[in-house]
């Protein structure tokens, strides 16, 4: 074999060794305390500005943790744009015309790259920004575990096969969460993320006009609320028109659960939590106790944030595209390894 080919193979093997080693490192609080001590302050500052510009945007960013972590772990794969050789997750059934505010992550990444180039992963940005979205809108604040790597690829097919439909019932949701070692309590508490933000008319048309193929509305919808929805989402509506997910869409609180008890859940996957016995008890608990909801929500977010695929990764310089081979070798894993050697 020619020397040039041997050298190419050697470089490739070195890259794989570096990536494999760093992908197994444990997540921990304060991960960037030495390599990028201002990281969490930078993320929160950008999120504050996003909230002031458009309150809905922070709710949109918070959804990223769910859509990222459930599809092959929390690895920033959902941020990758499509390429000629890869169909990413942005156009998957659960994300297309639904997920938005990717530009907020771009803004965060740009600020972090100026402060500490090649250090903070896009996957960790999602985790920090999701926490900040909650804290900045009146919800709990908590210490996040960091140290994730960014994926080298994404899969529209995986996203389509994993993420639930807004039509999903409680049994389907329980089964999905169980696959990731998340309990019924986690399911209900994390569904409280719909305490802020808006949903599209597209996601409720079947509930309003043809529930289960009956040609009738879902009987679980409160009649007064149903009339409101008829006005907001008539049959001829632009189905990308949005409606608040609960009665206090800019405040993270337990109003979402109070609305479910009153039959005012927007999505089928929301209201089903009150009509199904295993989940109903938690809905009632959280509707009466905001502190319990906040506690269990934080616990669920931390558990979900620990989901990892174990696949190779990097520190992307641009959250929308993977780095070059040279970056894999010199920038991403090397910095990540040095950071951890200092902490040992």
């Amino acid at each position: 074999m020619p020397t040039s080919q041997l050298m190419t193979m050697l470089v490739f093997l070195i890259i794989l060794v570096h990536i494999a080693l760093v992908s197994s490192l444990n997540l921990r609080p304060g991960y960037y305390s030495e390599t990028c001590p201002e990281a969490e302050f930078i993320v929160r500052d950008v999120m504050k500005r996003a909230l002031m510009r458009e309150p809905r945007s922070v709710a949109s960013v918070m959804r990223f943790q769910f859509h990222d972590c459930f599809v092959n772990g929390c690895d920033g794969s959902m941020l990758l744009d499509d390429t000629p050789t890869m169909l990413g997750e942005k156009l998957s059934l659960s994300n297309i015309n639904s997920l938005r505010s990717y530009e907020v992550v771009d803004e965060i990444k740009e600020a972090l790259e100026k402060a500490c180039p090649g250090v903070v992963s896009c996957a960790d940005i999602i985790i920090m920004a999701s926490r900040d979205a909650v804290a900045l809108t009146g919800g709990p604040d908590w210490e996040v575990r960091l140290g994730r790597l960014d994926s080298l690829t994404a899969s529209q097919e995986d996203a389509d096969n994993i993420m639930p439909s807004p039509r999903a019932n409680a049994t389907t949701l329980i089964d999905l969460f169980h696959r990731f070692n998340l309990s019924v309590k986690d399911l209900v508490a994390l569904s409280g993320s719909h305490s802020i933000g808006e949903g599209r008319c597209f996601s409720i048309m079947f509930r309003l006009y043809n529930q289960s193929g009956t040609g009738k509305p879902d009987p679980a919808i409160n009649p007064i609320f149903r009339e409101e929805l008829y006005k907001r989402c008539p049959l001829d509506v632009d189905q990308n028109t949005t409606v608040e997910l609960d009665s206090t869409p800019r405040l993270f609180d337990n109003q979402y659960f109070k609305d479910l008890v009153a039959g005012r859940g927007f999505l089928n996957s929301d209201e089903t939590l009150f009509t199904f016995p295993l989940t109903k008890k938690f809905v009632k608990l959280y509707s009466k106790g905001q502190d319990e909801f906040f506690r269990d929500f934080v616990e669920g977010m931390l558990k979900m944030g620990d989901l990892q695929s174990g696949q190779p990764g990097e520190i992307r310089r641009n959250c929308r595209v993977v780095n070059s081979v040279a970056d894999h070798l010199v920038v991403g894993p090397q910095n990540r390894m040095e950071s951890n050697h200092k902490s040992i």
Side-chain angles (χ1 to χ4, degrees):
M1 182 179 295
T3 302
S4 61
Q5 288 185 352
L6 285 172
M7 289 301 296
T8 300
M9 289 181 62
L10 179 60
V11 169
F12 182 68
L13 287 171
I14 291 171
I15 292 170
L16 289 182
V17 169
H18 274 273
I19 292 174
L21 283 171
V22 298
S23 68
S24 64
L25 295 172
N26 293 326
L27 306 177
R28 66 176 187 272
Y31 187 89
Y32 299 107
S33 59
E34 293 184 19
T35 54
C36 192
E38 298 298 310
E40 294 193 50
F41 298 102
I42 291 171
V43 175
R44 181 155 298 196
D45 182 62
V46 175
M47 289 293 287
K48 285 179 181 176
R49 295 201 301 270
L51 177 63
M52 289 187 287
R53 285 196 307 266
E54 185 201 3
R56 184 186 170 198
S57 66
V58 297
S60 301
V61 172
M62 181 184 61
R63 310 264 188 273
F64 287 1
Q65 179 166 338
F66 292 77
H67 289 251
D68 188 39
C69 293
F70 274 6
V71 182
N72 300 320
C74 311
D75 60 2
S77 59
M78 58 150 289
L79 299 173
L80 288 173
D81 289 340
D82 288 356
T83 72
T85 58
M86 182 198 74
L87 286 178
E89 297 163 28
K90 288 183 176 179
L91 299 182
S92 66
L93 296 174
S94 61
N95 296 346
I96 188 171
N97 296 325
S98 178
L99 289 190
R100 56 192 296 280
S101 300
Y102 294 102
E103 71 279 357
V104 176
V105 172
D106 293 337
E107 186 178 347
I108 293 171
K109 183 61 173 173
E110 183 179 358
L112 287 168
E113 286 297 304
K114 288 179 180 178
C116 3
V119 173
V120 181
S121 69
C122 301
D124 277 345
I125 288 174
I126 289 175
I127 298 297
M128 290 185 279
S130 297
R131 181 267 313 271
D132 292 346
V134 174
L136 291 172
T137 52
D141 202 348
W142 65 95
E143 192 172 43
V144 290
R145 296 188 280 263
L146 304 171
R148 295 164 189 81
L149 291 173
D150 298 321
S151 69
L152 304 178
T153 187
S155 172
Q156 184 180 120
E157 182 180 4
D158 287 349
D160 285 341
N161 290 336
I162 294 170
M163 294 305 297
S165 160
R167 301 187 182 194
N169 60 31
T171 301
T172 300
L173 294 171
I174 289 170
D175 290 345
L176 171 64
F177 274 62
H178 180 72
R179 287 172 57 186
F180 299 105
N181 200 31
L182 294 167
S183 66
V184 173
K185 181 184 74 173
D186 296 326
L187 162 63
V188 180
L190 289 172
S191 296
S193 65
H194 286 174
S195 171
I196 55 175
E198 301 172 9
R200 294 182 299 150
C201 285
F202 170 82
S203 300
I204 197 177
M205 298 303 282
F206 74 98
R207 286 193 75 204
L208 277 179
Y209 300 104
N210 192 28
Q211 178 76 335
S212 302
T214 62
K216 298 178 180 180
D218 181 357
I221 304 176
N222 177 293
I224 296 175
F225 184 52
R226 186 176 66 233
E227 292 305 314
E228 294 175 19
L229 292 174
Y230 281 147
K231 295 176 182 177
R232 302 284 296 275
C233 300
L235 279 170
D236 60 350
V237 72
D238 174 354
Q239 294 194 20
N240 286 319
T241 300
T242 59
V243 176
E244 298 81 9
L245 287 171
D246 81 350
S247 304
T248 56
R250 297 187 181 184
L251 181 64
F252 193 96
D253 57 12
N254 68 334
Q255 183 62 44
Y256 165 81
F257 296 103
K258 294 178 182 180
D259 285 352
L260 296 189
V261 172
R264 296 179 61 91
F266 181 68
L267 301 176
N268 191 76
S269 55
D270 291 329
E271 195 60 48
T272 186
L273 300 177
F274 185 66
T275 58
F276 191 72
L278 286 179
T279 50
K280 182 175 183 176
K281 62 180 181 180
F282 291 109
V283 172
K284 294 177 70 175
L285 172 67
Y286 299 148
S287 72
K288 297 175 181 177
Q290 183 165 275
D291 289 344
E292 288 84 356
F293 163 48
F294 282 3
R295 179 199 63 217
D296 292 347
F297 180 82
V298 170
E299 179 182 324
M301 289 291 276
L302 288 169
K303 289 171 67 175
M304 180 169 57
D306 286 343
L307 296 175
Q308 300 291 301
S309 69
Q311 296 299 309
E314 64 179 7
I315 308 296
R316 287 187 216 134
R317 290 186 175 277
N318 179 338
C319 292
R320 294 174 179 264
V321 296
V322 298
N323 299 335
S324 67
V325 172
D327 284 332
H328 291 169
L329 180 61
V330 177
V331 179
Q334 181 175 339
N335 282 356
R336 183 54 61 95
M337 290 293 288
E338 288 173 355
S339 142
N340 280 276
H341 283 316
K342 291 177 183 177
S343 66
I344 294 175

